[in-house]
Amino acid sequence: MKMASASPPSFLALDPVCGMSVDPATARHRADHNGTTYFFCSEGCRIKFQTDPGRYLGSAAPPAQASCCSAGHSSSHGHQHPAAGGVRPTETAAKPGLYTCPMHPEIVQEGPGTCPICGMALEPMMVSAEEEENLELTDMKRRFWVAAGLALPVFLVAMSDLIPGQPLQHRVSAQALNLFQLLFATPAVLWAGWPIFARAWQSIVTRNLNMFTLLGIGIGVAYGYSLVATFLPGLFPAEMRGHGGGVPVYYEAAAVITALTLLGQVLELLARSRTQGALKALLKLAPETALRIAADGSEAEVALAEVHVGDRLRVRPGGRVPVDGVVAEGGSSVDESMLTGEPIPVAKGPGDEVTGGTLNTTGSFVIEARRVGSETVLSRIVQLVADAQRSRAPIQRLADRVAGIFVPVVLGVAALAFLGWFFLGPEPRLSYAFVAAVSVMIIACPCALGLATPMSIMVGVGRGANAGVLIKSAAALEALAAVDTLVVDKTGTLTEGRPRIVGALAAAGTSEDELLRLAASLERASEHPLAQATLAAARERGLSLEPVGRFESVPGGGVVGEVGGREVAVGSEAFLKSLAVATGALGGPVEQLGGAGETLLWVGIDGHLAGVLAASDPIKGSTPGALAALQKLGVRVVMATGDRRAAAEQVARRIGIPEVHAEIRPEGKGELVARLEAAGRRTAMAGDGVNDAPALARARVGIAMGDGTDVAIESAGITLLHGDLGGIVRAVRLARATLGNVRQNLGLAFGYNLLALPLAAGALYPVLGLLMSPMVASLAMTFSSVSVILNALRLRRVAL
């Protein structure tokens, strides 16, 4: 069967009913037709499609009433409805104009609007450093203050009957008081509360019942009931009439509930904007302009958007590096603490890479731009964090399943409460029944349930970015929290990753200088740390290198190529044996050379062993303390390295790692991870090289060191900007704190609803004679959402 999303994950499919872009990887609603799978933004669209597929697969665009996105998701946003096949690949890579729901990231559309599933305002997918006005927040604030100002006099009048002697009721007729409340409540409910009703109607039309369904029905019933009681009091039984023959009205409940609901929306939008604020602050680290050097040597200040790859830019003392590049002239020390957390500036000279947003200290230098705009490390970090904040953790499925049945259950409980009070309750039965039903609908709004997981993920991912822990997805964060076994590479993870050549042994007929010169010439084309060590040793001896003709790299083995007309191979002993090079000629001296645990580089020339180079890579100072911290967290560390066994075991003994797998090839690391998983271990893999990529992808969660290769970073779910085990400790602590926070929030949300429903239905009336007011129910509902938000924000201060 072919699928409408057969394109890679970087593409979206279109909902054939409403035209909305849907991510096939996360879409919850799908249907098969004539061998093709179609994806939908909501259950309502799926049902409409299955009822009449031909209507939506023809050349004509579907009629307006078929759209499930009538409140902000219409075709006015520029969607073109698909022809037969239902697919128009749309890039999901964040770009201006695309908006998504923070609670349902599978919902993507062009332009702002509201989510057809939960009713929440959509937010831009691309994070911008510009201080753009949050129109949704501005509108909600305006509506809240209007609703609050109008609700206050209505509330005071409604509560005035509690004043001893009821002086106001004896001076003003009941009808006049009702009309006064109507005058103030109407704009509060119908204008200020209009977004509530619009989203409630949208939820009913699309059959995605949510919190706005309950709020809209509850507020509408309270207002409509009061309107009928004001103008048609004769419809109500005599026992319901009070002062002056008036029927009790609930304008104050409708107005106050509206104000409190809008307050909850304002608080929620403020919390979301605070998480965006941290990302905007990161983007602002890049300067707005750059000093570009023209071909004639003149310099001009240009906007950062006008900088292109290859441009030469001057960085002055005290200025920030504008884009990612390579130092072409001059030198200085650059403060990279915003990326690595290390406070000590790093010396930079010609050929060294610099990152946009880092701070130049004293010197001046010229760089050649290599990555600009959204391709810079800083922009990619920000977008990675933003995407992760919108991703969904597997634990969210529990909340989704509950929310899917919760609203219909609440409506059923409200109906039962109404019928129970109407047939079994005391007089005035209709009034009591009405109050109980509205209170049940208002207090049980599942907004806290919907916020429980996403708020924790958003705050946790942002906290991780500040600590140098970049999380690709919420699923990776949840997986890391459960990890009990960490598989680590040696070079660059446990050790500095900056080895030095400390010895050499040349075979007969070859000098040490010739051995080193040919090996360095070949290694010049490699990025491996051992290659850089070989090059550094050759430079120290002042050896002249030769150009490389043919070059081939074998991950986990070594390199082979043509240097000066000679076939040269450099790598492990096993690698040279695979090339039919005999390695036993040097015998005992080789064991002495590597006896202290050094890494050995075997060099073959024209099919014969030319000699061996010994490299030593010091252990990172942070490694022992980090290993102790991981042990306290219950995480067992396993070393997996392609290095020879003697070197690996010596490092393991020095730092206390009990399990070592040495001389292992890249595919062997992946197989090791698979064996550990099969044995019941929950594994994470940490590495930084091409040879680590298979294991990074196969582990439950992969952790890439920030100074590693692009393929390692792409294969991992978590990237550490500062590549050491200390970063892994911080990542594990953050993951466990975030998942614990999610569980707390879900507990608060579930516990609140389990307690609130019976109280709102009138469980306290037989005991205490108390029936919950809809206003109190609304206040409790708002408090439940605020409590979840405040609990999630605690993650910003968690110690890592």
Side-chain angles (χ1 to χ4, degrees), residues 102 110 137 142-143 154 174 228 232 235 243 255 369 438 457 468 528 541 578 606 620-621 624 679 696 735:
E110 295 177 12
L137 179 57
R142 183 188 304 116
R143 291 178 185 274
V154 178
V228 174
L232 299 171
L235 295 178
H243 168 68
V438 171
I457 296 299
H528 195 281
R541 295 197 183 192
S578 71
D606 292 331
K620 290 180 179 178
L696 288 169

Side-chain angles (χ1 to χ4, degrees), residues 467-469 480-481 483 485-489 492-494 620 622-623 626-627 629-630 633 635-638 684-688 696 701-706 718-736 800:
V469 179
L480 183 61
V483 159
T485 302
L486 173 66
V487 181
V488 295
D489 183 37
T493 305
L494 301 173
K620 290 180 179 178
S622 61
T623 295
L627 285 171
L630 286 169
L633 291 169
V635 178
R636 179 182 177 87
V637 178
V638 176
M685 170 69 195
D688 63 351
L696 288 169
V701 58
I703 304 173
M705 301 306 177
I718 292 174
T719 300
L720 305 179
L721 292 181
H722 188 50
D724 63 8
L725 282 186
I728 298 178
V729 174
R730 291 191 293 274
V732 172
R733 286 174 176 162
L734 174 67
R736 293 184 178 180
L800 301 179

Side-chain angles (χ1 to χ4, degrees), residues 404-673:
I405 62 173
F406 189 75
V407 174
V409 168
V410 169
L411 291 173
V413 171
L416 289 175
F418 181 89
L419 294 174
W421 279 96
F422 184 76
F423 289 107
L424 304 175
E427 295 294 349
R429 294 179 179 180
L430 181 60
S431 182
Y432 280 133
F434 165 77
V435 168
V438 171
S439 294
V440 165
M441 284 189 288
I442 298 301
I443 203 169
C445 282
C447 43
L449 190 61
L451 288 171
T453 299
M455 279 303 303
S456 296
I457 296 299
M458 289 171 70
V459 178
V461 169
R463 176 69 179 92
N466 292 334
V469 179
L470 301 183
I471 300 158
K472 186 177 289 185
S473 68
L477 190 69
E478 183 174 337
L480 183 61
V483 159
D484 59 19
T485 302
L486 173 66
V487 181
V488 295
D489 183 37
K490 178 175 72 69
T491 304
T493 305
L494 301 173
T495 62
E496 292 286 354
R498 293 189 293 271
R500 289 178 54 83
I501 300 298
V502 295
L505 179 63
T510 305
S511 67
E512 286 190 8
D513 282 357
E514 181 71 0
L515 175 72
L516 186 58
R517 186 180 69 83
L518 290 174
S521 296
L522 180 63
E523 293 277 31
R524 185 164 48 179
S526 173
E527 295 293 331
H528 195 281
L530 290 173
Q532 302 306 308
T534 307
L535 283 168
R539 293 192 191 103
E540 288 175 4
R541 295 197 183 192
L543 303 177
S544 59
L545 305 183
E546 294 190 40
V548 178
R550 176 180 51 81
F551 177 84
E552 180 183 355
S553 175
V554 179
V559 292
V560 61
E562 184 180 323
V563 180
R566 307 179 72 180
E567 185 80 9
V568 180
V570 181
S572 65
E573 183 179 11
F575 176 64
L576 260 67
K577 286 181 178 179
S578 71
L579 299 176
V581 176
T583 60
L586 295 177
V590 174
E591 297 301 323
Q592 295 178 5
L593 184 65
E598 284 81 5
T599 298
L600 298 183
L601 279 175
W602 297 71
V603 183
I605 299 176
D606 292 331
H608 301 285
L609 181 65
V612 179
L613 301 174
S616 177
D617 188 8
I619 294 170
K620 290 180 179 178
S622 61
T623 295
L627 285 171
L630 286 169
Q631 187 175 12
K632 287 183 179 179
L633 291 169
V635 178
R636 179 182 177 87
V637 178
V638 176
M639 182 196 296
T641 177
D643 205 353
R644 66 192 188 93
R645 184 166 300 279
E649 288 180 346
Q650 188 193 60
V651 170
R653 282 194 300 271
R654 289 173 59 188
I655 58 180
I657 293 181
E659 188 174 345
V660 179
H661 298 266
E663 301 176 8
I664 186 170
R665 295 180 62 81
E667 58 271 22
K669 291 184 180 182
E671 291 167 1
L672 170 63
V673 169

Side-chain angles (χ1 to χ4, degrees), residues 66-150:
S67 174
C68 72
C69 309
S70 56
H73 291 75
S74 66
S75 58
S76 63
H77 292 306
H79 287 306
Q80 299 298 318
H81 293 276
V87 183
R88 184 197 67 178
T90 304
E91 296 181 12
T92 61
K95 63 180 181 179
L98 283 184
Y99 283 68
T100 186
C101 174
M103 305 302 177
H104 299 88
E106 68 270 22
I107 300 300
V108 178
Q109 73 166 42
E110 295 177 12
T114 55
C115 175
I117 297 176
C118 66
M120 180 173 288
L122 304 182
E123 61 183 27
M125 292 186 70
M126 175 172 280
V127 181
S128 169
E130 298 178 6
E131 288 297 336
E132 301 173 350
E133 182 183 5
N134 187 329
L135 298 178
E136 177 75 9
L137 179 57
T138 301
D139 182 57
M140 284 296 177
K141 281 183 177 179
R142 183 188 304 116
R143 291 178 185 274
F144 164 70
W145 286 114
V146 170
L150 293 171

